[in-house]
Amino acid sequence: MARLIFLGPPGAGKGTQAVALAQKLHIPHISTGDILRQALKMRSPLGVKAQGYMDRGELVPDNLVQAMVEERLHQDDIDSGWILDGFPRTVSQAEFLDELLQKLGHNSVQVINLDVPDDILIERLLGRGRPDDTEDVIRRRLEVYHADTKPLIGFYSDRHQLVYVNGNQPLEAVNTDLHEVVAP
Ligand code: AMP
């Protein structure tokens, strides 16, 4: 049973790799960025609240994202496992997730850190062409990553849940490495 958290900076290839792995393992891929973009497109109350933060490259407030994840992890399709992509992004989100998973009885979670140096990330993000991928916003997202999300590496490695995968190599090679580290 795979229950996986994908950590890593914006542009590390988390989304691409998480989608591929979820397909292969037949488990849902849960991306908080995707859920938020969908909410934004539908102009739902959540989308309206989140938009300003997303446009600036800031994090959407913890309570909004946490409620969203809690709802998603109560759906029926999560019994066979799941991949969380883009959540948690702060230590308080990680603490919230811990409690939620305990309540759900979901243990043996593996955390995968996709590693890529900053200069490569900026190059990749600029090439991606998403509306929130302008240079200023990209720099802000990286700053936010270093300040708020990077501490999660320590949080999970202290608990011996963290595995490193080198994201700075061709897609196929990252894919192979991922398959090797994910416990069957
Ligand atoms: P992503 O697609 O993961 O890069 O997310 C796009 C944007 O959605 C981010 O820049 C944040 O504004 C917001 N977002 C996604 N996940 C989270 C999260 N766990 N906490 C706060 N904001 C998030």
Side-chain angles (χ1 to χ4, degrees), residues 10 14 31-34 36-37 53-54 57-62 65 85-89 93 128 130 132 141:
K14 286 193 303 294
S31 153
T32 44
D34 284 353
L36 287 166
R37 275 184 290 278
Y53 300 100
M54 294 173 76
E58 307 281 345
L59 293 181
V60 173
D62 286 343
V65 187
D85 163 14
F87 185 91
R89 257 181 163 94
Q93 290 179 12
R128 200 163 70 167
R130 224 167 66 182
D132 58 344
R141 295 226 309 273

mmCIF file of all heavy atoms in Angstrom, residues 10 14 31-34 36-37 53-54 57-62 65 85-89 93 128 130 132 141, ligand 1:
data_model
loop_
_atom_site.group_PDB
_atom_site.id
_atom_site.type_symbol
_atom_site.label_atom_id
_atom_site.label_comp_id
_atom_site.label_asym_id
_atom_site.label_seq_id
_atom_site.Cartn_x
_atom_site.Cartn_y
_atom_site.Cartn_z
ATOM 1 N N PRO A 10 9.115 24.263 -6.110
ATOM 2 C CA PRO A 10 8.343 24.424 -7.335
ATOM 3 C C PRO A 10 9.257 24.212 -8.538
ATOM 4 O O PRO A 10 10.393 24.692 -8.540
ATOM 5 C CB PRO A 10 7.854 25.887 -7.281
ATOM 6 C CG PRO A 10 8.693 26.559 -6.241
ATOM 7 C CD PRO A 10 9.169 25.498 -5.304
ATOM 8 N N LYS A 14 7.631 17.548 -9.461
ATOM 9 C CA LYS A 14 6.759 16.782 -8.561
ATOM 10 C C LYS A 14 5.480 16.349 -9.254
ATOM 11 O O LYS A 14 5.096 15.193 -9.182
ATOM 12 C CB LYS A 14 6.307 17.649 -7.366
ATOM 13 C CG LYS A 14 7.311 17.926 -6.333
ATOM 14 C CD LYS A 14 6.653 18.517 -5.082
ATOM 15 C CE LYS A 14 5.835 19.789 -5.302
ATOM 16 N NZ LYS A 14 6.605 20.953 -5.704
ATOM 17 N N SER A 31 -3.355 16.734 -5.759
ATOM 18 C CA SER A 31 -2.517 17.923 -5.868
ATOM 19 C C SER A 31 -3.309 19.121 -5.362
ATOM 20 O O SER A 31 -4.349 19.469 -5.940
ATOM 21 C CB SER A 31 -2.099 18.140 -7.325
ATOM 22 O OG SER A 31 -1.839 19.514 -7.571
ATOM 23 N N THR A 32 -2.829 19.745 -4.291
ATOM 24 C CA THR A 32 -3.560 20.905 -3.762
ATOM 25 C C THR A 32 -3.527 22.060 -4.764
ATOM 26 O O THR A 32 -4.499 22.798 -4.890
ATOM 27 C CB THR A 32 -3.006 21.349 -2.393
ATOM 28 O OG1 THR A 32 -1.572 21.357 -2.444
ATOM 29 C CG2 THR A 32 -3.453 20.411 -1.296
ATOM 30 N N GLY A 33 -2.443 22.190 -5.521
ATOM 31 C CA GLY A 33 -2.372 23.224 -6.560
ATOM 32 C C GLY A 33 -3.459 23.005 -7.613
ATOM 33 O O GLY A 33 -4.147 23.945 -8.011
ATOM 34 N N ASP A 34 -3.639 21.757 -8.049
ATOM 35 C CA ASP A 34 -4.680 21.442 -9.046
ATOM 36 C C ASP A 34 -6.075 21.736 -8.499
ATOM 37 O O ASP A 34 -6.917 22.297 -9.197
ATOM 38 C CB ASP A 34 -4.638 19.953 -9.444
ATOM 39 C CG ASP A 34 -3.493 19.632 -10.395
ATOM 40 O OD1 ASP A 34 -2.808 20.575 -10.847
ATOM 41 O OD2 ASP A 34 -3.289 18.427 -10.684
ATOM 42 N N LEU A 36 -6.872 23.827 -6.189
ATOM 43 C CA LEU A 36 -7.046 25.282 -6.084
ATOM 44 C C LEU A 36 -7.252 25.920 -7.458
ATOM 45 O O LEU A 36 -8.096 26.803 -7.613
ATOM 46 C CB LEU A 36 -5.839 25.917 -5.387
ATOM 47 C CG LEU A 36 -5.744 25.661 -3.877
ATOM 48 C CD1 LEU A 36 -4.368 26.026 -3.334
ATOM 49 C CD2 LEU A 36 -6.823 26.469 -3.141
ATOM 50 N N ARG A 37 -6.503 25.468 -8.459
ATOM 51 C CA ARG A 37 -6.682 26.027 -9.807
ATOM 52 C C ARG A 37 -8.078 25.734 -10.339
ATOM 53 O O ARG A 37 -8.689 26.566 -10.989
ATOM 54 C CB ARG A 37 -5.608 25.486 -10.773
ATOM 55 C CG ARG A 37 -4.299 26.285 -10.718
ATOM 56 C CD ARG A 37 -3.290 25.799 -11.742
ATOM 57 N NE ARG A 37 -2.775 24.494 -11.418
ATOM 58 C CZ ARG A 37 -1.792 24.263 -10.540
ATOM 59 N NH1 ARG A 37 -1.208 25.270 -9.925
ATOM 60 N NH2 ARG A 37 -1.379 23.036 -10.296
ATOM 61 N N TYR A 53 -3.439 35.141 -3.362
ATOM 62 C CA TYR A 53 -2.226 34.475 -2.862
ATOM 63 C C TYR A 53 -1.505 33.767 -3.997
ATOM 64 O O TYR A 53 -0.286 33.856 -4.140
ATOM 65 C CB TYR A 53 -2.570 33.444 -1.783
ATOM 66 C CG TYR A 53 -3.250 34.034 -0.574
ATOM 67 C CD1 TYR A 53 -4.634 33.951 -0.418
ATOM 68 C CD2 TYR A 53 -2.507 34.678 0.421
ATOM 69 C CE1 TYR A 53 -5.261 34.483 0.691
ATOM 70 C CE2 TYR A 53 -3.133 35.210 1.535
ATOM 71 C CZ TYR A 53 -4.510 35.113 1.660
ATOM 72 O OH TYR A 53 -5.131 35.649 2.766
ATOM 73 N N MET A 54 -2.284 33.044 -4.798
ATOM 74 C CA MET A 54 -1.674 32.261 -5.879
ATOM 75 C C MET A 54 -1.030 33.181 -6.911
ATOM 76 O O MET A 54 0.074 32.927 -7.382
ATOM 77 C CB MET A 54 -2.723 31.365 -6.542
ATOM 78 C CG MET A 54 -3.227 30.310 -5.583
ATOM 79 S SD MET A 54 -4.598 29.369 -6.237
ATOM 80 C CE MET A 54 -3.756 28.273 -7.383
ATOM 81 N N GLY A 57 2.305 34.269 -5.717
ATOM 82 C CA GLY A 57 3.307 33.249 -5.390
ATOM 83 C C GLY A 57 3.404 33.006 -3.897
ATOM 84 O O GLY A 57 4.386 32.457 -3.402
ATOM 85 N N GLU A 58 2.354 33.449 -3.167
ATOM 86 C CA GLU A 58 2.327 33.225 -1.712
ATOM 87 C C GLU A 58 1.565 31.937 -1.421
ATOM 88 O O GLU A 58 0.827 31.438 -2.270
ATOM 89 C CB GLU A 58 1.560 34.367 -1.015
ATOM 90 C CG GLU A 58 2.027 35.763 -1.328
ATOM 91 C CD GLU A 58 3.269 36.151 -0.553
ATOM 92 O OE1 GLU A 58 3.593 35.436 0.425
ATOM 93 O OE2 GLU A 58 3.914 37.143 -0.929
ATOM 94 N N LEU A 59 1.673 31.474 -0.191
ATOM 95 C CA LEU A 59 0.890 30.313 0.196
ATOM 96 C C LEU A 59 -0.537 30.738 0.552
ATOM 97 O O LEU A 59 -0.743 31.774 1.191
ATOM 98 C CB LEU A 59 1.519 29.618 1.414
ATOM 99 C CG LEU A 59 2.875 28.966 1.176
ATOM 100 C CD1 LEU A 59 3.376 28.300 2.456
ATOM 101 C CD2 LEU A 59 2.808 27.958 0.036
ATOM 102 N N VAL A 60 -1.483 29.938 0.138
ATOM 103 C CA VAL A 60 -2.874 30.118 0.547
ATOM 104 C C VAL A 60 -2.928 29.765 2.048
ATOM 105 O O VAL A 60 -2.225 28.839 2.484
ATOM 106 C CB VAL A 60 -3.765 29.176 -0.304
ATOM 107 C CG1 VAL A 60 -5.201 29.190 0.170
ATOM 108 C CG2 VAL A 60 -3.671 29.566 -1.783
ATOM 109 N N PRO A 61 -3.712 30.496 2.858
ATOM 110 C CA PRO A 61 -3.698 30.239 4.305
ATOM 111 C C PRO A 61 -3.958 28.772 4.662
ATOM 112 O O PRO A 61 -4.761 28.093 4.019
ATOM 113 C CB PRO A 61 -4.822 31.142 4.832
ATOM 114 C CG PRO A 61 -4.928 32.246 3.824
ATOM 115 C CD PRO A 61 -4.568 31.638 2.501
ATOM 116 N N ASP A 62 -3.243 28.328 5.698
ATOM 117 C CA ASP A 62 -3.306 26.926 6.131
ATOM 118 C C ASP A 62 -4.736 26.415 6.302
ATOM 119 O O ASP A 62 -5.060 25.317 5.853
ATOM 120 C CB ASP A 62 -2.577 26.755 7.477
ATOM 121 C CG ASP A 62 -1.056 26.816 7.335
ATOM 122 O OD1 ASP A 62 -0.560 26.674 6.199
ATOM 123 O OD2 ASP A 62 -0.377 27.008 8.364
ATOM 124 N N VAL A 65 -6.459 25.427 2.984
ATOM 125 C CA VAL A 65 -5.885 24.253 2.320
ATOM 126 C C VAL A 65 -6.135 23.003 3.162
ATOM 127 O O VAL A 65 -6.426 21.930 2.637
ATOM 128 C CB VAL A 65 -4.369 24.472 2.094
ATOM 129 C CG1 VAL A 65 -3.784 23.361 1.268
ATOM 130 C CG2 VAL A 65 -4.121 25.791 1.410
ATOM 131 N N ASP A 85 0.591 15.716 -3.418
ATOM 132 C CA ASP A 85 1.549 16.504 -4.187
ATOM 133 C C ASP A 85 1.296 17.984 -3.890
ATOM 134 O O ASP A 85 0.233 18.506 -4.217
ATOM 135 C CB ASP A 85 1.330 16.145 -5.672
ATOM 136 C CG ASP A 85 1.935 17.137 -6.646
ATOM 137 O OD1 ASP A 85 2.748 17.969 -6.232
ATOM 138 O OD2 ASP A 85 1.576 17.055 -7.840
ATOM 139 N N GLY A 86 2.253 18.626 -3.225
ATOM 140 C CA GLY A 86 2.084 20.050 -2.908
ATOM 141 C C GLY A 86 1.483 20.293 -1.534
ATOM 142 O O GLY A 86 1.212 21.433 -1.172
ATOM 143 N N PHE A 87 1.287 19.261 -0.793
ATOM 144 C CA PHE A 87 0.792 19.364 0.585
ATOM 145 C C PHE A 87 1.467 18.288 1.410
ATOM 146 O O PHE A 87 1.498 17.134 0.949
ATOM 147 C CB PHE A 87 -0.726 19.175 0.649
ATOM 148 C CG PHE A 87 -1.303 19.402 2.031
ATOM 149 C CD1 PHE A 87 -1.745 20.652 2.413
ATOM 150 C CD2 PHE A 87 -1.361 18.362 2.938
ATOM 151 C CE1 PHE A 87 -2.255 20.857 3.694
ATOM 152 C CE2 PHE A 87 -1.861 18.562 4.219
ATOM 153 C CZ PHE A 87 -2.311 19.813 4.585
ATOM 154 N N PRO A 88 1.976 18.546 2.593
ATOM 155 C CA PRO A 88 2.006 19.841 3.277
ATOM 156 C C PRO A 88 3.106 20.760 2.735
ATOM 157 O O PRO A 88 4.069 20.308 2.139
ATOM 158 C CB PRO A 88 2.326 19.439 4.725
ATOM 159 C CG PRO A 88 3.100 18.165 4.615
ATOM 160 C CD PRO A 88 2.565 17.464 3.409
ATOM 161 N N ARG A 89 2.934 22.050 2.980
ATOM 162 C CA ARG A 89 3.921 23.031 2.560
ATOM 163 C C ARG A 89 4.406 23.881 3.737
ATOM 164 O O ARG A 89 5.253 24.758 3.543
ATOM 165 C CB ARG A 89 3.300 23.968 1.530
ATOM 166 C CG ARG A 89 3.718 23.684 0.081
ATOM 167 C CD ARG A 89 3.027 24.728 -0.725
ATOM 168 N NE ARG A 89 3.483 24.988 -2.043
ATOM 169 C CZ ARG A 89 2.989 24.428 -3.144
ATOM 170 N NH1 ARG A 89 2.139 23.445 -3.073
ATOM 171 N NH2 ARG A 89 3.390 24.848 -4.316
ATOM 172 N N GLN A 93 0.951 22.682 8.553
ATOM 173 C CA GLN A 93 0.181 21.753 7.704
ATOM 174 C C GLN A 93 0.620 20.305 7.949
ATOM 175 O O GLN A 93 -0.198 19.385 7.959
ATOM 176 C CB GLN A 93 0.366 22.084 6.220
ATOM 177 C CG GLN A 93 -0.304 23.381 5.783
ATOM 178 C CD GLN A 93 -0.079 23.686 4.303
ATOM 179 O OE1 GLN A 93 0.381 22.858 3.528
ATOM 180 N NE2 GLN A 93 -0.404 24.916 3.917
ATOM 181 N N ARG A 128 7.871 26.904 -18.436
ATOM 182 C CA ARG A 128 6.643 26.151 -18.263
ATOM 183 C C ARG A 128 5.408 26.899 -18.760
ATOM 184 O O ARG A 128 4.444 26.300 -19.219
ATOM 185 C CB ARG A 128 6.496 25.848 -16.762
ATOM 186 C CG ARG A 128 5.584 24.732 -16.434
ATOM 187 C CD ARG A 128 5.825 24.253 -15.017
ATOM 188 N NE ARG A 128 5.402 25.213 -14.016
ATOM 189 C CZ ARG A 128 5.281 24.907 -12.720
ATOM 190 N NH1 ARG A 128 5.600 23.709 -12.281
ATOM 191 N NH2 ARG A 128 4.889 25.815 -11.858
ATOM 192 N N ARG A 130 3.007 28.688 -17.204
ATOM 193 C CA ARG A 130 1.742 28.774 -16.487
ATOM 194 C C ARG A 130 1.497 30.240 -16.148
ATOM 195 O O ARG A 130 2.450 31.012 -16.029
ATOM 196 C CB ARG A 130 1.878 27.954 -15.193
ATOM 197 C CG ARG A 130 0.696 27.082 -14.898
ATOM 198 C CD ARG A 130 1.030 26.094 -13.806
ATOM 199 N NE ARG A 130 1.284 26.724 -12.511
ATOM 200 C CZ ARG A 130 1.628 26.026 -11.436
ATOM 201 N NH1 ARG A 130 1.784 24.722 -11.491
ATOM 202 N NH2 ARG A 130 1.835 26.648 -10.302
ATOM 203 N N ASP A 132 0.916 31.768 -13.490
ATOM 204 C CA ASP A 132 1.617 32.242 -12.289
ATOM 205 C C ASP A 132 3.123 31.987 -12.396
ATOM 206 O O ASP A 132 3.818 31.923 -11.396
ATOM 207 C CB ASP A 132 1.035 31.600 -11.015
ATOM 208 C CG ASP A 132 1.082 30.063 -11.019
ATOM 209 O OD1 ASP A 132 1.276 29.483 -12.107
ATOM 210 O OD2 ASP A 132 0.931 29.456 -9.949
ATOM 211 N N ARG A 141 7.935 32.492 -5.155
ATOM 212 C CA ARG A 141 7.580 31.111 -4.796
ATOM 213 C C ARG A 141 8.792 30.360 -4.252
ATOM 214 O O ARG A 141 8.672 29.565 -3.329
ATOM 215 C CB ARG A 141 6.990 30.368 -5.996
ATOM 216 C CG ARG A 141 5.677 30.953 -6.455
ATOM 217 C CD ARG A 141 4.593 29.926 -6.725
ATOM 218 N NE ARG A 141 4.969 28.849 -7.590
ATOM 219 C CZ ARG A 141 4.888 28.885 -8.920
ATOM 220 N NH1 ARG A 141 4.442 29.961 -9.540
ATOM 221 N NH2 ARG A 141 5.240 27.851 -9.620
HETATM 222 P P1 AMP B 1 1.476 24.147 -7.090
HETATM 223 O O1 AMP B 1 0.670 23.729 -8.276
HETATM 224 O O2 AMP B 1 1.673 23.049 -6.096
HETATM 225 O O3 AMP B 1 2.745 24.847 -7.472
HETATM 226 O O4 AMP B 1 0.582 25.246 -6.329
HETATM 227 C C1 AMP B 1 0.203 26.455 -6.939
HETATM 228 C C2 AMP B 1 -0.149 27.497 -5.881
HETATM 229 O O5 AMP B 1 -1.245 27.025 -5.089
HETATM 230 C C3 AMP B 1 0.947 27.786 -4.881
HETATM 231 O O6 AMP B 1 1.860 28.747 -5.361
HETATM 232 C C4 AMP B 1 0.162 28.270 -3.678
HETATM 233 O O7 AMP B 1 -0.285 29.600 -3.867
HETATM 234 C C5 AMP B 1 -1.068 27.396 -3.720
HETATM 235 N N1 AMP B 1 -0.889 26.149 -2.920
HETATM 236 C C6 AMP B 1 -0.826 24.865 -3.376
HETATM 237 N N2 AMP B 1 -0.651 23.994 -2.374
HETATM 238 C C7 AMP B 1 -0.615 24.732 -1.236
HETATM 239 C C8 AMP B 1 -0.440 24.425 0.142
HETATM 240 N N3 AMP B 1 -0.251 23.171 0.572
HETATM 241 N N4 AMP B 1 -0.458 25.470 1.022
HETATM 242 C C9 AMP B 1 -0.644 26.728 0.624
HETATM 243 N N5 AMP B 1 -0.788 27.085 -0.655
HETATM 244 C C10 AMP B 1 -0.780 26.107 -1.588
#
